[in-house]
Amino acid sequence: MFTGSIVALITPMNEKGQICHSSLKKLVNYHILNKTKAIVSIGTTGESATLSQKEHINIVMLTLELADSKIPVIAGTGANATTEAISLTKRFEKSGVSGCLTVTPYYNKPTQEGLYQHFKAISENTKLPQILYNVPSRTGCDLLPQTVARLSEFENIIGIKEATGDLSRISKIKKLAKKNFLLISGDDATALDFMQLGGQGIISVTANIAAKEMAKMCSYALKGDFIKARFINERLVLLHEALFIEPNPIPVKWLAKKIGLIKNDTLRLPLTPISNSTCLKLEKAMKYANLQKI
């Protein structure tokens, strides 16, 4: 459940910014049908930063209900306050989630020791499998390989979503961390190269609107058939790039609406509607990838 194509699921909203249950159901079914390995519910792509804790918990629980044990659900439980991250994690302890994805604390800019103590405290307060999430471009801090290795010694810290785009991190972490520690890409544009260098999968934004393609690409890569995997990825290259022209998840929600997966591409401030120029680039990428309306 923690390898292959894992989707960083968007959070569909209606015109008033409330959670759209019918669109969420369609999204979950779409990923079950197209063999996505797992769903990350309310990670950063799910707009965790603009949801209340009550909404956060309710959406994860609704996603679990809709998944109906047909696809594993990983709960996003990151926060910039350690106590809040622990509280969220403990809330899902007996919920049925398969694990937690915990982003590094944002804005605080903790030291490496601070990061170590943060994740150590979370680990010691739960039995749920924990996946670390490093995305310094969004958080302002970088979880370095040496710290990852220290954290890998905790039994329930099972892997990392590494979203720096720095492929040299793979060999560094593999060398330092415990055996069988999972390396999961968090950068769609370099995910295939990441897997060819020893990674086990991708927590993907692109999978929101190209689930079948991402699942097949990862399946081939995990089997060592990188010729077939690269053939699929070549069609997705423009999409990987276009989805990040504006802050995620602005482009992916617009495209999800465009192909019929969600009813509205509503966002909450401070995120704003997509620009016309980005729409044109997304349409070009969609055609190049041969994405069909659903």
Side-chain angles (χ1 to χ4, degrees), residues 1-293:
M1 72 185 72
F2 298 118
T3 63
S5 178
I6 301 167
V7 64
L9 197 69
I10 56 175
T11 298
M13 301 175 185
N14 62 24
E15 300 94 331
K16 296 181 180 179
Q18 299 165 329
I19 308 311
C20 180
H21 290 207
S22 61
S23 290
L24 183 59
K25 181 178 181 179
K26 189 168 185 177
L27 284 171
V28 171
N29 288 337
Y30 168 74
H31 287 288
I32 293 169
L33 178 66
N34 288 290
K35 302 186 187 306
T36 298
K37 287 294 186 180
I39 289 171
V40 171
S41 178
I42 313 300
T44 48
T45 298
E47 297 175 77
S48 56
T50 57
L51 298 174
S52 69
Q53 188 171 108
K54 182 179 179 180
E55 287 175 317
H56 187 135
I57 293 166
N58 286 346
I59 296 166
V60 173
M61 297 306 293
L62 177 59
T63 304
L64 270 169
E65 181 184 331
L66 294 170
D68 193 26
S69 301
K70 295 173 184 175
I71 185 170
V73 175
I74 300 165
T77 52
N80 60 342
T82 305
T83 53
E84 184 179 350
I86 291 171
S87 174
L88 263 177
T89 303
K90 290 178 78 170
R91 174 60 183 81
F92 297 120
E93 185 73 39
K94 296 180 181 179
S95 66
V97 301
S98 298
C100 298
L101 177 70
T102 309
V103 71
T104 53
Y106 45 88
Y107 186 79
N108 297 333
K109 299 183 76 172
T111 62
Q112 293 302 303
E113 183 60 25
L115 290 169
Y116 174 79
Q117 293 295 338
H118 172 78
F119 288 113
K120 175 177 181 287
I122 297 168
S123 171
E124 290 175 340
N125 278 277
T126 185
K127 294 181 180 179
L128 284 169
Q130 300 290 304
I131 301 172
L132 311 172
Y133 178 16
N134 188 38
V135 57
S137 64
R138 300 293 289 257
T139 62
C141 65
D142 189 358
L143 187 62
L144 298 178
Q146 293 82 356
T147 309
V148 174
R150 291 177 69 195
L151 290 166
S152 76
E153 295 303 317
F154 291 93
E155 185 177 356
N156 62 341
I157 297 181
I158 63 167
I160 184 170
K161 176 185 177 183
E162 175 55 56
T164 58
D166 178 2
L167 296 173
S168 71
R169 288 287 174 98
I170 304 163
S171 61
K172 292 174 183 175
I173 295 172
K174 283 175 72 73
K175 182 179 179 180
L176 296 170
K178 70 183 178 186
K179 188 178 180 181
N180 299 324
F181 188 72
L182 292 171
L183 293 170
I184 304 169
S185 174
D187 180 57
D188 281 291
T190 59
L192 182 55
D193 292 329
F194 188 100
M195 293 182 71
Q196 194 158 7
L197 290 169
Q200 285 83 33
I202 168 77
I203 295 178
S204 170
V205 175
T206 301
N208 277 286
I209 40 84
K212 182 186 291 185
E213 292 82 357
M214 289 299 295
K216 284 185 176 180
M217 185 195 79
C218 289
S219 178
Y220 283 130
L222 288 171
K223 293 174 184 174
D225 192 341
F226 289 99
I227 293 176
K228 288 181 180 177
R230 204 159 291 283
F231 179 78
I232 295 171
N233 194 56
E234 284 300 319
R235 287 171 42 208
L236 301 174
V237 167
L238 292 181
L239 203 56
H240 295 328
E241 295 173 356
L243 288 173
F244 293 92
I245 293 172
E246 294 187 30
N248 180 44
I250 296 172
V252 71
K253 289 188 87 169
W254 182 85
L255 199 46
K257 179 187 176 185
K258 178 80 174 176
I259 66 174
L261 272 171
I262 60 177
K263 294 177 181 178
N264 300 283
D265 59 344
T266 306
L267 303 148
R268 288 183 178 178
L269 287 171
L271 296 181
T272 52
I274 197 166
S275 66
N276 290 334
S277 61
T278 299
C279 291
L280 293 174
K281 291 174 183 176
L282 284 168
E283 287 177 341
K284 180 181 178 182
M286 184 178 80
K287 289 177 182 177
Y288 189 78
N290 195 29
L291 289 185
Q292 304 297 318
K293 290 192 175 182

